[in-house]
Amino acid sequence: MYIVITVIAVVFTGSAAVTYLIGHDYPKTQADMKGIPRSWVPVLGGLLTAGTIGLLAGFAVPWLGKAAAAGLVLYFVGALIAHLRVGSRQLVGPAVFLVTEIAALVVALAR
């Protein structure tokens, strides 16, 4: 179960990281909507990339996977807060990511 959930989290987070790093319009419009400077978009993509790599590294170094999952949980809690702060009702996306990362953290801790 650990492997399946972690791989799903890696795919979700990795795809989001790529979207942020290639300069896709979606993260830019999200940043605009939340009042976040566009200059933060690559930084956020870097955090997602670091989390993705950390989840993968967790297969060999368990504490690193746990730390990455915990960091990603905090990242997506922040994303939900950013949406709520501006009154956005587009909560499904960040909620799905958050639940996925919580699941990855739970199975990593139970391992």
Side-chain angles (χ1 to χ4, degrees):
M1 194 59 132
Y2 165 75
I3 292 172
V4 172
I5 291 174
T6 302
V7 168
I8 291 169
V10 164
V11 170
F12 278 23
T13 309
S15 63
V18 168
T19 303
Y20 274 67
L21 293 174
I22 65 171
H24 193 274
D25 284 339
Y26 179 76
K28 293 175 186 174
T29 57
Q30 288 293 304
D32 293 343
M33 184 257 300
K34 296 172 197 155
I36 297 170
R38 284 189 175 200
S39 62
W40 288 18
V41 171
V43 174
L44 296 172
L47 292 172
L48 291 168
T49 301
T52 302
I53 292 168
L55 288 174
L56 288 170
F59 289 122
V61 184
W63 69 265
L64 193 54
K66 293 172 188 170
L72 288 166
V73 166
L74 292 175
Y75 178 97
F76 288 110
V77 165
L80 272 173
I81 290 170
H83 277 271
L84 292 170
R85 182 179 57 86
V86 297
S88 171
R89 295 182 183 199
Q90 300 172 1
L91 303 177
V92 174
V96 167
F97 277 90
L98 177 59
V99 169
T100 303
E101 300 307 339
I102 290 171
L105 178 58
V106 167
V107 295
L109 291 172
R111 184 173 177 221

